[in-house]
PDB file of all heavy atoms in Angstrom:
ATOM      1  N   ALA A  23      11.520   8.937  27.496  1.00 88.00           N
ATOM      2  CA  ALA A  23      10.171   8.803  28.050  1.00 88.00           C
ATOM      3  C   ALA A  23       9.082   8.894  26.982  1.00 88.00           C
ATOM      4  O   ALA A  23       7.916   8.656  27.279  1.00 88.00           O
ATOM      5  CB  ALA A  23       9.942   9.881  29.109  1.00 88.00           C
ATOM      6  N   SER A  24       9.473   9.223  25.755  1.00 90.00           N
ATOM      7  CA  SER A  24       8.456   9.385  24.713  1.00 90.00           C
ATOM      8  C   SER A  24       8.839   8.683  23.405  1.00 90.00           C
ATOM      9  O   SER A  24       8.590   9.195  22.326  1.00 90.00           O
ATOM     10  CB  SER A  24       8.208  10.867  24.454  1.00 90.00           C
ATOM     11  OG  SER A  24       9.414  11.497  24.055  1.00 90.00           O
ATOM     12  N   LEU A  25       9.419   7.502  23.522  1.00 93.00           N
ATOM     13  CA  LEU A  25       9.799   6.746  22.330  1.00 93.00           C
ATOM     14  C   LEU A  25       8.578   6.093  21.698  1.00 93.00           C
ATOM     15  O   LEU A  25       7.756   5.484  22.390  1.00 93.00           O
ATOM     16  CB  LEU A  25      10.807   5.649  22.698  1.00 93.00           C
ATOM     17  CG  LEU A  25      12.157   6.113  23.231  1.00 93.00           C
ATOM     18  CD1 LEU A  25      12.960   4.922  23.714  1.00 93.00           C
ATOM     19  CD2 LEU A  25      12.910   6.882  22.174  1.00 93.00           C
ATOM     20  N   HIS A  26       8.468   6.209  20.378  1.00 96.00           N
ATOM     21  CA  HIS A  26       7.405   5.555  19.620  1.00 96.00           C
ATOM     22  C   HIS A  26       7.944   5.186  18.250  1.00 96.00           C
ATOM     23  O   HIS A  26       8.369   6.063  17.495  1.00 96.00           O
ATOM     24  CB  HIS A  26       6.186   6.463  19.439  1.00 96.00           C
ATOM     25  CG  HIS A  26       5.481   6.748  20.705  1.00 96.00           C
ATOM     26  ND1 HIS A  26       5.700   7.896  21.430  1.00 96.00           N
ATOM     27  CD2 HIS A  26       4.572   6.033  21.404  1.00 96.00           C
ATOM     28  CE1 HIS A  26       4.954   7.875  22.516  1.00 96.00           C
ATOM     29  NE2 HIS A  26       4.256   6.760  22.519  1.00 96.00           N
ATOM     30  N   GLY A  27       7.908   3.916  17.941  1.00 97.00           N
ATOM     31  CA  GLY A  27       8.347   3.479  16.627  1.00 97.00           C
ATOM     32  C   GLY A  27       8.060   2.006  16.416  1.00 97.00           C
ATOM     33  O   GLY A  27       7.900   1.245  17.373  1.00 97.00           O
ATOM     34  N   VAL A  28       7.975   1.622  15.150  1.00 98.00           N
ATOM     35  CA  VAL A  28       7.730   0.240  14.767  1.00 98.00           C
ATOM     36  C   VAL A  28       8.692  -0.105  13.641  1.00 98.00           C
ATOM     37  O   VAL A  28       8.795   0.633  12.655  1.00 98.00           O
ATOM     38  CB  VAL A  28       6.275   0.025  14.296  1.00 98.00           C
ATOM     39  CG1 VAL A  28       6.051  -1.408  13.850  1.00 98.00           C
ATOM     40  CG2 VAL A  28       5.287   0.414  15.387  1.00 98.00           C
ATOM     41  N   GLN A  29       9.395  -1.206  13.800  1.00 98.00           N
ATOM     42  CA  GLN A  29      10.260  -1.745  12.744  1.00 98.00           C
ATOM     43  C   GLN A  29       9.601  -3.010  12.228  1.00 98.00           C
ATOM     44  O   GLN A  29       9.242  -3.889  13.014  1.00 98.00           O
ATOM     45  CB  GLN A  29      11.646  -2.044  13.296  1.00 98.00           C
ATOM     46  CG  GLN A  29      12.581  -2.633  12.258  1.00 98.00           C
ATOM     47  CD  GLN A  29      13.974  -2.800  12.817  1.00 98.00           C
ATOM     48  OE1 GLN A  29      14.651  -1.816  13.088  1.00 98.00           O
ATOM     49  NE2 GLN A  29      14.388  -4.033  12.992  1.00 98.00           N
ATOM     50  N   VAL A  30       9.436  -3.097  10.923  1.00 98.00           N
ATOM     51  CA  VAL A  30       8.693  -4.188  10.303  1.00 98.00           C
ATOM     52  C   VAL A  30       9.596  -4.976   9.375  1.00 98.00           C
ATOM     53  O   VAL A  30      10.287  -4.391   8.528  1.00 98.00           O
ATOM     54  CB  VAL A  30       7.493  -3.636   9.495  1.00 98.00           C
ATOM     55  CG1 VAL A  30       6.728  -4.760   8.818  1.00 98.00           C
ATOM     56  CG2 VAL A  30       6.588  -2.797  10.385  1.00 98.00           C
ATOM     57  N   THR A  31       9.589  -6.279   9.518  1.00 98.00           N
ATOM     58  CA  THR A  31      10.244  -7.172   8.571  1.00 98.00           C
ATOM     59  C   THR A  31       9.134  -7.831   7.772  1.00 98.00           C
ATOM     60  O   THR A  31       8.153  -8.303   8.343  1.00 98.00           O
ATOM     61  CB  THR A  31      11.066  -8.249   9.315  1.00 98.00           C
ATOM     62  OG1 THR A  31      11.987  -7.584  10.184  1.00 98.00           O
ATOM     63  CG2 THR A  31      11.821  -9.122   8.346  1.00 98.00           C
ATOM     64  N   GLY A  32       9.271  -7.826   6.462  1.00 97.00           N
ATOM     65  CA  GLY A  32       8.210  -8.394   5.648  1.00 97.00           C
ATOM     66  C   GLY A  32       8.660  -8.730   4.251  1.00 97.00           C
ATOM     67  O   GLY A  32       9.852  -8.753   3.940  1.00 97.00           O
ATOM     68  N   ARG A  33       7.664  -8.965   3.433  1.00 98.00           N
ATOM     69  CA  ARG A  33       7.900  -9.376   2.053  1.00 98.00           C
ATOM     70  C   ARG A  33       7.133  -8.423   1.131  1.00 98.00           C
ATOM     71  O   ARG A  33       5.940  -8.219   1.303  1.00 98.00           O
ATOM     72  CB  ARG A  33       7.419 -10.806   1.870  1.00 98.00           C
ATOM     73  CG  ARG A  33       7.834 -11.432   0.589  1.00 98.00           C
ATOM     74  CD  ARG A  33       7.638 -12.956   0.688  1.00 98.00           C
ATOM     75  NE  ARG A  33       8.103 -13.621  -0.491  1.00 98.00           N
ATOM     76  CZ  ARG A  33       9.363 -13.971  -0.723  1.00 98.00           C
ATOM     77  NH1 ARG A  33      10.278 -13.719   0.184  1.00 98.00           N
ATOM     78  NH2 ARG A  33       9.702 -14.579  -1.838  1.00 98.00           N
ATOM     79  N   ALA A  34       7.849  -7.865   0.160  1.00 98.00           N
ATOM     80  CA  ALA A  34       7.251  -6.926  -0.779  1.00 98.00           C
ATOM     81  C   ALA A  34       6.748  -7.656  -2.018  1.00 98.00           C
ATOM     82  O   ALA A  34       7.294  -8.672  -2.431  1.00 98.00           O
ATOM     83  CB  ALA A  34       8.265  -5.867  -1.191  1.00 98.00           C
ATOM     84  N   GLU A  35       5.710  -7.084  -2.574  1.00 97.00           N
ATOM     85  CA  GLU A  35       5.131  -7.599  -3.810  1.00 97.00           C
ATOM     86  C   GLU A  35       4.799  -6.393  -4.675  1.00 97.00           C
ATOM     87  O   GLU A  35       4.296  -5.385  -4.175  1.00 97.00           O
ATOM     88  CB  GLU A  35       3.870  -8.390  -3.451  1.00 97.00           C
ATOM     89  CG  GLU A  35       2.884  -8.553  -4.543  1.00 97.00           C
ATOM     90  CD  GLU A  35       1.549  -9.121  -4.076  1.00 97.00           C
ATOM     91  OE1 GLU A  35       1.161  -8.932  -2.909  1.00 97.00           O
ATOM     92  OE2 GLU A  35       0.896  -9.734  -4.907  1.00 97.00           O
ATOM     93  N   LEU A  36       5.102  -6.478  -5.953  1.00 97.00           N
ATOM     94  CA  LEU A  36       4.717  -5.431  -6.888  1.00 97.00           C
ATOM     95  C   LEU A  36       3.339  -5.781  -7.427  1.00 97.00           C
ATOM     96  O   LEU A  36       3.129  -6.866  -7.961  1.00 97.00           O
ATOM     97  CB  LEU A  36       5.737  -5.309  -8.015  1.00 97.00           C
ATOM     98  CG  LEU A  36       7.149  -4.935  -7.545  1.00 97.00           C
ATOM     99  CD1 LEU A  36       8.118  -4.925  -8.710  1.00 97.00           C
ATOM    100  CD2 LEU A  36       7.137  -3.598  -6.836  1.00 97.00           C
ATOM    101  N   VAL A  37       2.407  -4.863  -7.246  1.00 98.00           N
ATOM    102  CA  VAL A  37       1.021  -5.093  -7.639  1.00 98.00           C
ATOM    103  C   VAL A  37       0.856  -4.649  -9.097  1.00 98.00           C
ATOM    104  O   VAL A  37       1.219  -3.519  -9.459  1.00 98.00           O
ATOM    105  CB  VAL A  37       0.055  -4.322  -6.716  1.00 98.00           C
ATOM    106  CG1 VAL A  37      -1.390  -4.541  -7.146  1.00 98.00           C
ATOM    107  CG2 VAL A  37       0.265  -4.748  -5.262  1.00 98.00           C
ATOM    108  N   GLU A  38       0.324  -5.533  -9.889  1.00 96.00           N
ATOM    109  CA  GLU A  38       0.139  -5.271 -11.322  1.00 96.00           C
ATOM    110  C   GLU A  38      -0.713  -4.009 -11.529  1.00 96.00           C
ATOM    111  O   GLU A  38      -1.797  -3.888 -10.946  1.00 96.00           O
ATOM    112  CB  GLU A  38      -0.557  -6.474 -11.959  1.00 96.00           C
ATOM    113  CG  GLU A  38      -0.634  -6.428 -13.451  1.00 96.00           C
ATOM    114  CD  GLU A  38       0.694  -6.690 -14.140  1.00 96.00           C
ATOM    115  OE1 GLU A  38       1.557  -7.383 -13.567  1.00 96.00           O
ATOM    116  OE2 GLU A  38       0.866  -6.181 -15.258  1.00 96.00           O
ATOM    117  N   PRO A  39      -0.222  -3.063 -12.363  1.00 95.00           N
ATOM    118  CA  PRO A  39      -1.008  -1.856 -12.620  1.00 95.00           C
ATOM    119  C   PRO A  39      -2.407  -2.193 -13.157  1.00 95.00           C
ATOM    120  O   PRO A  39      -2.563  -3.065 -14.013  1.00 95.00           O
ATOM    121  CB  PRO A  39      -0.185  -1.106 -13.672  1.00 95.00           C
ATOM    122  CG  PRO A  39       1.216  -1.569 -13.432  1.00 95.00           C
ATOM    123  CD  PRO A  39       1.078  -3.023 -13.027  1.00 95.00           C
ATOM    124  N   PHE A  40      -3.375  -1.534 -12.588  1.00 96.00           N
ATOM    125  CA  PHE A  40      -4.786  -1.626 -12.968  1.00 96.00           C
ATOM    126  C   PHE A  40      -5.423  -2.983 -12.676  1.00 96.00           C
ATOM    127  O   PHE A  40      -6.517  -3.264 -13.142  1.00 96.00           O
ATOM    128  CB  PHE A  40      -4.997  -1.179 -14.427  1.00 96.00           C
ATOM    129  CG  PHE A  40      -4.439   0.199 -14.649  1.00 96.00           C
ATOM    130  CD1 PHE A  40      -3.240   0.386 -15.315  1.00 96.00           C
ATOM    131  CD2 PHE A  40      -5.089   1.307 -14.143  1.00 96.00           C
ATOM    132  CE1 PHE A  40      -2.698   1.650 -15.475  1.00 96.00           C
ATOM    133  CE2 PHE A  40      -4.566   2.587 -14.303  1.00 96.00           C
ATOM    134  CZ  PHE A  40      -3.364   2.756 -14.970  1.00 96.00           C
ATOM    135  N   SER A  41      -4.749  -3.789 -11.866  1.00 97.00           N
ATOM    136  CA  SER A  41      -5.357  -5.030 -11.371  1.00 97.00           C
ATOM    137  C   SER A  41      -6.409  -4.646 -10.332  1.00 97.00           C
ATOM    138  O   SER A  41      -6.459  -3.491  -9.871  1.00 97.00           O
ATOM    139  CB  SER A  41      -4.291  -5.915 -10.736  1.00 97.00           C
ATOM    140  OG  SER A  41      -3.779  -5.297  -9.557  1.00 97.00           O
ATOM    141  N   PRO A  42      -7.268  -5.585  -9.919  1.00 97.00           N
ATOM    142  CA  PRO A  42      -8.264  -5.250  -8.898  1.00 97.00           C
ATOM    143  C   PRO A  42      -7.649  -4.687  -7.603  1.00 97.00           C
ATOM    144  O   PRO A  42      -8.167  -3.715  -7.047  1.00 97.00           O
ATOM    145  CB  PRO A  42      -8.987  -6.574  -8.659  1.00 97.00           C
ATOM    146  CG  PRO A  42      -8.876  -7.284  -9.975  1.00 97.00           C
ATOM    147  CD  PRO A  42      -7.499  -6.918 -10.488  1.00 97.00           C
ATOM    148  N   ALA A  43      -6.536  -5.270  -7.137  1.00 97.00           N
ATOM    149  CA  ALA A  43      -5.900  -4.770  -5.908  1.00 97.00           C
ATOM    150  C   ALA A  43      -5.342  -3.362  -6.123  1.00 97.00           C
ATOM    151  O   ALA A  43      -5.447  -2.499  -5.246  1.00 97.00           O
ATOM    152  CB  ALA A  43      -4.789  -5.719  -5.457  1.00 97.00           C
ATOM    153  N   TYR A  44      -4.760  -3.118  -7.282  1.00 97.00           N
ATOM    154  CA  TYR A  44      -4.208  -1.805  -7.623  1.00 97.00           C
ATOM    155  C   TYR A  44      -5.325  -0.757  -7.628  1.00 97.00           C
ATOM    156  O   TYR A  44      -5.198   0.314  -7.020  1.00 97.00           O
ATOM    157  CB  TYR A  44      -3.541  -1.903  -8.991  1.00 97.00           C
ATOM    158  CG  TYR A  44      -2.844  -0.659  -9.479  1.00 97.00           C
ATOM    159  CD1 TYR A  44      -1.466  -0.514  -9.333  1.00 97.00           C
ATOM    160  CD2 TYR A  44      -3.529   0.350 -10.134  1.00 97.00           C
ATOM    161  CE1 TYR A  44      -0.801   0.608  -9.808  1.00 97.00           C
ATOM    162  CE2 TYR A  44      -2.882   1.476 -10.619  1.00 97.00           C
ATOM    163  CZ  TYR A  44      -1.518   1.604 -10.451  1.00 97.00           C
ATOM    164  OH  TYR A  44      -0.857   2.717 -10.922  1.00 97.00           O
ATOM    165  N   LEU A  45      -6.413  -1.077  -8.304  1.00 96.00           N
ATOM    166  CA  LEU A  45      -7.523  -0.123  -8.396  1.00 96.00           C
ATOM    167  C   LEU A  45      -8.199   0.098  -7.044  1.00 96.00           C
ATOM    168  O   LEU A  45      -8.625   1.213  -6.737  1.00 96.00           O
ATOM    169  CB  LEU A  45      -8.524  -0.595  -9.445  1.00 96.00           C
ATOM    170  CG  LEU A  45      -8.005  -0.544 -10.889  1.00 96.00           C
ATOM    171  CD1 LEU A  45      -9.004  -1.200 -11.834  1.00 96.00           C
ATOM    172  CD2 LEU A  45      -7.684   0.887 -11.318  1.00 96.00           C
ATOM    173  N   ALA A  46      -8.277  -0.949  -6.236  1.00 96.00           N
ATOM    174  CA  ALA A  46      -8.868  -0.793  -4.900  1.00 96.00           C
ATOM    175  C   ALA A  46      -8.017   0.148  -4.051  1.00 96.00           C
ATOM    176  O   ALA A  46      -8.557   0.989  -3.323  1.00 96.00           O
ATOM    177  CB  ALA A  46      -9.011  -2.155  -4.225  1.00 96.00           C
ATOM    178  N   HIS A  47      -6.688   0.014  -4.141  1.00 97.00           N
ATOM    179  CA  HIS A  47      -5.845   0.930  -3.363  1.00 97.00           C
ATOM    180  C   HIS A  47      -5.921   2.350  -3.927  1.00 97.00           C
ATOM    181  O   HIS A  47      -5.931   3.323  -3.161  1.00 97.00           O
ATOM    182  CB  HIS A  47      -4.395   0.453  -3.302  1.00 97.00           C
ATOM    183  CG  HIS A  47      -3.555   1.368  -2.478  1.00 97.00           C
ATOM    184  ND1 HIS A  47      -3.758   1.549  -1.125  1.00 97.00           N
ATOM    185  CD2 HIS A  47      -2.560   2.226  -2.816  1.00 97.00           C
ATOM    186  CE1 HIS A  47      -2.914   2.450  -0.662  1.00 97.00           C
ATOM    187  NE2 HIS A  47      -2.177   2.878  -1.675  1.00 97.00           N
ATOM    188  N   ALA A  48      -5.976   2.483  -5.244  1.00 97.00           N
ATOM    189  CA  ALA A  48      -6.124   3.811  -5.841  1.00 97.00           C
ATOM    190  C   ALA A  48      -7.406   4.473  -5.328  1.00 97.00           C
ATOM    191  O   ALA A  48      -7.393   5.662  -4.977  1.00 97.00           O
ATOM    192  CB  ALA A  48      -6.140   3.703  -7.364  1.00 97.00           C
ATOM    193  N   GLU A  49      -8.473   3.704  -5.253  1.00 96.00           N
ATOM    194  CA  GLU A  49      -9.735   4.248  -4.735  1.00 96.00           C
ATOM    195  C   GLU A  49      -9.573   4.647  -3.270  1.00 96.00           C
ATOM    196  O   GLU A  49     -10.052   5.705  -2.847  1.00 96.00           O
ATOM    197  CB  GLU A  49     -10.845   3.205  -4.883  1.00 96.00           C
ATOM    198  CG  GLU A  49     -12.204   3.721  -4.458  1.00 96.00           C
ATOM    199  CD  GLU A  49     -13.312   2.699  -4.668  1.00 96.00           C
ATOM    200  OE1 GLU A  49     -13.250   1.935  -5.635  1.00 96.00           O
ATOM    201  OE2 GLU A  49     -14.240   2.676  -3.820  1.00 96.00           O
ATOM    202  N   TYR A  50      -8.880   3.826  -2.483  1.00 96.00           N
ATOM    203  CA  TYR A  50      -8.613   4.139  -1.081  1.00 96.00           C
ATOM    204  C   TYR A  50      -7.881   5.485  -0.965  1.00 96.00           C
ATOM    205  O   TYR A  50      -8.147   6.273  -0.067  1.00 96.00           O
ATOM    206  CB  TYR A  50      -7.793   3.007  -0.455  1.00 96.00           C
ATOM    207  CG  TYR A  50      -7.460   3.210   0.993  1.00 96.00           C
ATOM    208  CD1 TYR A  50      -8.320   2.767   1.993  1.00 96.00           C
ATOM    209  CD2 TYR A  50      -6.276   3.832   1.379  1.00 96.00           C
ATOM    210  CE1 TYR A  50      -8.014   2.950   3.338  1.00 96.00           C
ATOM    211  CE2 TYR A  50      -5.965   4.027   2.710  1.00 96.00           C
ATOM    212  CZ  TYR A  50      -6.837   3.581   3.690  1.00 96.00           C
ATOM    213  OH  TYR A  50      -6.530   3.770   5.012  1.00 96.00           O
ATOM    214  N   LYS A  51      -6.959   5.728  -1.898  1.00 96.00           N
ATOM    215  CA  LYS A  51      -6.175   6.977  -1.900  1.00 96.00           C
ATOM    216  C   LYS A  51      -6.897   8.110  -2.645  1.00 96.00           C
ATOM    217  O   LYS A  51      -6.346   9.196  -2.795  1.00 96.00           O
ATOM    218  CB  LYS A  51      -4.809   6.736  -2.556  1.00 96.00           C
ATOM    219  CG  LYS A  51      -3.904   5.801  -1.788  1.00 96.00           C
ATOM    220  CD  LYS A  51      -3.442   6.375  -0.483  1.00 96.00           C
ATOM    221  CE  LYS A  51      -2.486   7.507  -0.704  1.00 96.00           C
ATOM    222  NZ  LYS A  51      -2.044   8.145   0.530  1.00 96.00           N
ATOM    223  N   LYS A  52      -8.085   7.815  -3.122  1.00 96.00           N
ATOM    224  CA  LYS A  52      -8.889   8.797  -3.860  1.00 96.00           C
ATOM    225  C   LYS A  52      -8.200   9.243  -5.158  1.00 96.00           C
ATOM    226  O   LYS A  52      -8.235  10.424  -5.534  1.00 96.00           O
ATOM    227  CB  LYS A  52      -9.254   9.982  -2.978  1.00 96.00           C
ATOM    228  CG  LYS A  52     -10.115   9.563  -1.789  1.00 96.00           C
ATOM    229  CD  LYS A  52     -10.515  10.750  -0.946  1.00 96.00           C
ATOM    230  CE  LYS A  52     -11.370  10.447   0.244  1.00 96.00           C
ATOM    231  NZ  LYS A  52     -11.566   9.152   0.733  1.00 96.00           N
ATOM    232  N   LEU A  53      -7.583   8.286  -5.830  1.00 95.00           N
ATOM    233  CA  LEU A  53      -6.958   8.522  -7.127  1.00 95.00           C
ATOM    234  C   LEU A  53      -7.806   7.814  -8.184  1.00 95.00           C
ATOM    235  O   LEU A  53      -8.001   6.599  -8.110  1.00 95.00           O
ATOM    236  CB  LEU A  53      -5.533   7.965  -7.164  1.00 95.00           C
ATOM    237  CG  LEU A  53      -4.542   8.567  -6.186  1.00 95.00           C
ATOM    238  CD1 LEU A  53      -3.237   7.795  -6.197  1.00 95.00           C
ATOM    239  CD2 LEU A  53      -4.291  10.028  -6.526  1.00 95.00           C
ATOM    240  N   SER A  54      -8.277   8.558  -9.142  1.00 94.00           N
ATOM    241  CA  SER A  54      -9.140   7.947 -10.157  1.00 94.00           C
ATOM    242  C   SER A  54      -8.305   7.163 -11.169  1.00 94.00           C
ATOM    243  O   SER A  54      -7.129   7.466 -11.412  1.00 94.00           O
ATOM    244  CB  SER A  54      -9.948   9.016 -10.884  1.00 94.00           C
ATOM    245  OG  SER A  54      -9.106   9.767 -11.739  1.00 94.00           O
TER     246      SER A  54
END
């Protein structure tokens, strides 16, 4: 009566260190 879960199929990508996307996520996580 209380099941909750999500299974995701997707595609992984390694984000280049210190690229704009990398730095944006670091900021999101509050990592300088």
Side-chain angles (χ1 to χ4, degrees):
S24 59
L25 296 173
H26 293 97
V28 178
Q29 179 175 292
V30 179
T31 304
R33 191 164 184 84
E35 158 190 28
L36 299 176
V37 179
E38 188 73 27
F40 305 104
S41 66
Y44 183 98
L45 292 173
H47 182 64
E49 184 177 326
Y50 180 89
K51 294 292 290 178
K52 298 182 180 13
L53 298 172
S54 72

